[in-house]
């Protein structure tokens, strides 16, 4: 980096002020979901019969008739136009690793030379972008061009405000003329339906009345922010996403004093605007903090349906990249932009919940007595061992393979960390039956004015590739720059096969005259013994 460029960068940093880019926003503008055609808006704008038909489609997969689709499209268009929208787009996630969109105007010319805003159910449900230039994984010939986008009613539309324009964004799947998936949403939704079927099958064995199970997730996004002058003076960062040459800084992360440190004003202003924009489009971001490496940070949401969370995660990355230049910075999502310090990952917190609101990976107060939890947990353990190659492939990339195994990143070999409590329970199961559960009790700090803290039954492992963290599994090897669709698909498919196996074994045992308790007591030690090498 030349001395002139360095001097300009330092001057820009010194002279930068939060007030230069920060604009005031009213409470109404920053209201959560104010730019989303969400359940509240649907209920207020749709005829009651149409609203209930849409809810049945979302919750039970029932088909919508044309009249209902037309009513939804009309209400959606009127809501969008009231907010200043002139165009709509079918937003999809092709195999490029980023999102894609083609904007169409609401305006339709009339015979008298004027124009009216129109949007039909047919236009809502189906779009037809040219699919010839999108990757297909070799599934189709290069001359085959037709592709369809299909509205996903389970992920609510939102309004994109960018460049002085407002666009209605409709999440869609993307398939070829012959039905092959050309995107990441289609296989994700298929995998979620397959898992639901097998999970409900297991739940029925335990007497549950649940009819549907969804996978839920909350991805923790790590990223770097560097001054834009520095970024633009480094061709390697611009073209490769990471530095390829140069000297190490005088101070790296030796003291790790950046971690959870005070957030700089300019970074705080950036974070605040990103959060404000994400709140308006319904992304439930919850946490922000400094990460370990210098200039590294994290943003994390609360749990959502895995399909919606995948859409939202793409929106998070796009919003951060779009916002950073307004604060004189560049947002780096590469997994290892700088040598010698921590890289960036995307911890994927994953679980399963039924339609009655129960987290199927919640152990309860006495996990050793919770047969249903132990069956689901064992199924996940078996899935990760049996399909570890698939899980490893789902997070493999040049950038992530450069990150894994160094500077606090998870190792490249997949394994499970269960924690002291669950490890002890499974060891008891292997030896003939679990009789007790370890409890953490209370932690006394030795200071009278401080409260006694409830202590967990075991410590956390922050570098395990796949760790149980209380009521979910955390897939920590996921890379910072990728869509979480592939890891979700891989987990869903692996666990689906495992639940199918567990349900089949239990059904066979019960049909043979064994009680449920006896069937579970015989199955769990067998499965754990066959798969404990992954622990």
């Amino acid at each position: 980096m030349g001395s002139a460029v360095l001097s300009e960068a330092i001057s820009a940093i010194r002279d930068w002020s939060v007030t230069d880019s920060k604009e005031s926003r009213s409470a109404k503008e920053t209201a959560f979901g104010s730019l989303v055609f969400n359940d509240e808006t649907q209920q207020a704008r749709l005829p009651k019969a149409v609203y209930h038909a849409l809810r049945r489609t979302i919750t039970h997969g029932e088909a919508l008739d044309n009249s209902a689709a037309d009513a939804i499209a009309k209400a959606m268009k009127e809501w969008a136009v009231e907010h200043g929208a002139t165009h709509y787009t079918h937003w999809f996630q092709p195999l490029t690793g980023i999102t894609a969109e083609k904007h169409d105007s609401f305006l339709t010319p009339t015979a008298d030379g004027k124009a009216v805003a129109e949007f039909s159910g047919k236009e809502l449900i189906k779009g037809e972008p040219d699919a010839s230039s999108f990757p297909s994984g070799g599934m189709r010939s290069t001359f085959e061009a037709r592709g369809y986008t299909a509205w996903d009613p389970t992920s609510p539309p939102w309004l994109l405000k960018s460049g002085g324009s407002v666009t209605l964004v409709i999440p869609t799947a993307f398939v070829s003329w012959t039905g092959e998936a050309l995107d990441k949403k289609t296989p994700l939704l298929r995998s979620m339906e397959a898992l639901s079927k097998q999970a409900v099958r297991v739940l029925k064995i335990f007497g549950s009345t649940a009819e549907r199970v969804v996978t839920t997730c909350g991805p923790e996004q790590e990223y770097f922010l560097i001054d834009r002058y520095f970024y633009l003076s480094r061709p390697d960062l611009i073209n490769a996403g990471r530095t390829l040459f140069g000297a190490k800084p005088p101070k790296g992360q030796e003291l790790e004093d950046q971690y959870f440190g005070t957030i700089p004003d300019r970074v705080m202003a950036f974070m605040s605007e990103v959060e404000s924009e994400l709140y308006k489009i319904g992304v439930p971001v919850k946490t922000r903090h400094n990460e370990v490496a210098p200039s590294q940070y994290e943003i994390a949401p609360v749990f959502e349906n895995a399909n919606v969370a995948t859409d939202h995660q793409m929106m998070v990355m796009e919003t951060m990249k779009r916002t950073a230049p307004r604060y004189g910075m560049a947002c780096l999502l590469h997994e290892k932009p700088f040598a010698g310090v921590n890289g960036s990952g995307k911890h994927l917190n994953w679980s399963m919940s039924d339609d009655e609101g129960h987290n199927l990976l919640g152990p309860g107060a006495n996990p050793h007595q919770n047969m249903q939890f132990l069956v689901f947990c064992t199924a996940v353990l078996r899935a990760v061992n049996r399909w570890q190659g698939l899980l490893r492939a789902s997070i493999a990339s040049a950038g992530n393979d450069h990150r894994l195994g160094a500077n606090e990143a998870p190792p490249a070999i997949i394994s499970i960390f269960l924690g002291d409590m669950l490890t002890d329970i499974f060891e008891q199961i292997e030896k003939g039956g679990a009789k007790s559960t370890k409890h953490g009790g209370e932690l006394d700090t030795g200071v009278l004015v401080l409260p006694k803290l409830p202590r967990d039954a075991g410590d956390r492992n922050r570098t395990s590739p796949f760790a149980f963290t209380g009521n979910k599994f955390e897939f920590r090897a996921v890379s910072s720059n990728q869509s979480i669709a592939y890891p979700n698909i891989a987990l869903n498919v692996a666990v689906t096969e495992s639940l199918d196996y567990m349900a089949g074994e239990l059904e066979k045992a019960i049909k043979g005259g064994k009680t449920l308790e006896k069937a579970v007591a015989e199955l769990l030690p067998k499965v754990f013994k066959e798969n404990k090498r992954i622990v």
Side-chain angles (χ1 to χ4, degrees):
M1 182 185 295
S3 58
V5 175
L6 178 61
S7 177
E8 289 178 2
I10 293 173
S11 296
I13 295 171
R14 183 188 63 235
D15 297 337
W16 192 89
S17 168
V18 171
T19 57
D20 290 343
S21 296
K22 192 67 176 174
E23 60 183 28
S24 62
R25 292 174 176 80
S26 69
K28 188 174 188 302
E29 287 177 322
T30 57
F32 184 82
S34 60
L35 298 181
V36 183
F37 193 71
N38 53 23
D39 183 69
E40 181 182 356
T41 305
Q42 293 165 10
Q43 195 166 5
R45 289 179 173 266
L46 294 175
K48 185 175 291 187
V50 174
Y51 170 76
H52 288 301
L54 177 59
R55 295 311 304 172
R56 289 194 299 272
T57 297
I58 294 171
T59 57
H60 296 97
E62 293 185 13
L64 275 176
D65 60 37
N66 292 336
S67 61
D70 283 334
I72 295 167
K74 181 175 183 292
M76 198 181 292
K77 182 261 295 180
E78 291 175 349
W79 168 80
V81 170
E82 287 173 14
H83 284 80
T86 57
H87 289 68
Y88 69 93
T89 180
H90 276 197
W91 182 82
F92 57 100
Q93 300 171 44
L95 304 182
T96 55
I98 56 177
T99 61
E101 55 197 57
K102 177 173 73 79
H103 296 203
D104 289 299
S105 174
F106 285 124
L107 295 180
T108 301
T110 61
D112 58 0
K114 297 181 181 181
V116 294
E118 292 184 347
F119 186 52
S120 68
K122 180 180 178 181
E123 291 169 313
L124 168 64
I125 289 172
K126 188 185 103 172
E128 190 177 338
D130 187 339
S132 61
S133 296
F134 288 107
S136 66
M139 290 187 299
R140 62 198 316 221
S141 300
T142 54
F143 62 82
E144 294 176 328
R146 194 180 297 279
Y148 300 116
T149 50
W151 171 43
D152 172 16
T154 65
S155 185
W158 75 94
L159 296 175
L160 172 65
K161 293 187 174 184
S162 177
S165 177
V166 182
T167 304
L168 173 63
V169 181
I170 303 167
T172 58
F174 183 44
V175 296
S176 71
W177 179 75
T178 50
E180 290 94 350
L182 299 177
D183 68 340
K184 299 177 181 179
K185 180 182 282 288
T186 304
L188 175 59
L189 290 171
R190 288 173 179 170
S191 71
M192 292 176 67
E193 289 183 5
L195 184 141
S196 177
K197 181 179 178 181
Q198 299 305 325
V200 167
R201 189 174 156 207
V202 173
L203 288 175
K204 296 298 183 187
I205 296 174
F206 287 92
S208 171
T209 57
E211 297 180 356
R212 194 175 181 86
V213 170
V214 297
T215 53
T216 59
C217 66
E220 304 169 22
Q221 174 73 61
E222 296 173 342
Y223 60 97
F224 281 83
L225 288 174
I226 66 168
D227 188 87
R228 192 162 173 79
Y229 277 92
F230 291 140
Y231 174 74
L232 294 175
S233 66
R234 292 299 299 255
D236 50 353
L237 266 183
I238 295 172
N239 293 290
R242 67 184 183 95
T243 53
L244 302 177
F245 56 86
K248 290 184 178 181
K251 178 181 179 297
Q253 65 179 57
E254 291 84 2
L255 300 178
E256 298 192 345
D257 49 352
Q258 151 88 357
Y259 193 46
F260 279 28
T262 302
I263 300 173
D265 285 350
R266 180 157 59 147
V267 175
M268 182 67 83
F270 160 84
M271 289 179 169
S272 180
E273 179 163 343
V274 166
E275 289 176 354
S276 176
E277 295 301 311
L278 293 174
Y279 286 151
K280 286 186 285 188
I281 56 177
V283 182
V285 288
K286 175 75 171 177
T287 302
R288 64 188 183 196
H289 63 82
N290 287 6
E291 259 298 337
V292 176
S295 298
Q296 188 186 33
Y297 307 94
E298 181 177 297
I299 182 172
V302 297
F303 268 54
E304 297 182 276
N305 172 296
N307 174 48
V308 176
T310 300
D311 287 352
H312 282 172
Q313 220 290 307
M314 298 303 292
M315 294 151 63
V316 167
M317 292 193 289
E318 290 175 359
T319 301
M320 291 196 302
K321 297 283 282 187
R322 187 172 59 246
T323 304
R326 293 205 283 270
Y327 293 87
M329 296 184 290
C331 178
L332 307 181
L333 297 176
H334 191 281
E335 294 79 9
K336 194 71 172 179
F338 304 106
V341 296
N342 283 14
S344 294
K346 183 150 38 195
H347 299 179
L348 178 62
N349 297 281
W350 180 93
S351 189
M352 298 171 279
S353 295
D354 65 24
D355 56 7
E356 296 177 349
H358 302 121
N359 179 359
L360 304 185
L361 291 179
N366 294 295
H368 71 283
Q369 297 175 339
N370 190 339
M371 288 192 300
Q372 179 179 293
F373 160 74
L374 290 173
V375 167
F376 275 96
C377 188
T378 303
V380 176
L381 189 152
R382 178 184 179 275
V384 174
N385 179 52
R386 188 174 178 84
W387 300 102
Q388 56 184 289
L390 176 65
L391 296 177
R392 179 65 178 85
S394 74
I395 50 94
S397 67
N400 204 33
D401 285 1
H402 189 60
R403 173 185 78 101
L404 294 175
N407 297 99
E408 299 184 352
I413 300 172
I414 300 295
S415 64
I416 286 183
F417 176 78
L418 292 175
D420 292 346
M421 178 186 72
L422 276 187
T423 299
D424 177 64
I425 289 174
F426 275 107
E427 287 176 350
Q428 291 182 55
I429 288 172
E430 187 182 16
K431 294 175 182 176
K435 301 293 192 297
S436 62
T437 296
K438 283 186 176 181
H439 293 286
E442 288 186 335
L443 177 65
D444 189 346
T445 63
V447 181
L448 292 178
V449 297
L450 296 180
K452 292 183 178 180
L453 304 175
R455 177 165 53 187
D456 292 296
D459 204 349
R460 290 185 62 195
N461 182 321
R462 65 189 298 250
T463 59
S464 168
F466 199 86
F468 185 77
T469 55
N471 59 0
K472 63 188 184 299
F473 281 96
E474 188 174 352
F475 195 4
R476 294 198 180 111
V478 179
S479 67
S480 58
N481 199 32
Q482 75 173 117
S483 165
I484 60 172
Y486 280 163
N488 266 310
I489 293 166
L491 269 172
N492 292 348
V493 170
V495 174
T496 296
E497 186 276 335
S498 205
L499 288 173
D500 175 49
Y501 169 80
M502 301 291 283
E505 292 297 302
L506 291 174
E507 288 167 349
K508 184 167 60 176
I510 293 170
K511 189 176 181 180
K514 294 178 181 176
T515 64
L516 175 59
E517 292 75 9
K518 180 68 173 175
V520 171
E522 290 182 355
L523 179 60
L524 293 187
K526 172 179 175 289
V527 175
F528 179 71
K529 185 175 181 179
E530 292 171 350
N531 296 279
K532 67 177 182 179
R533 64 172 187 166
I534 202 72
V535 177

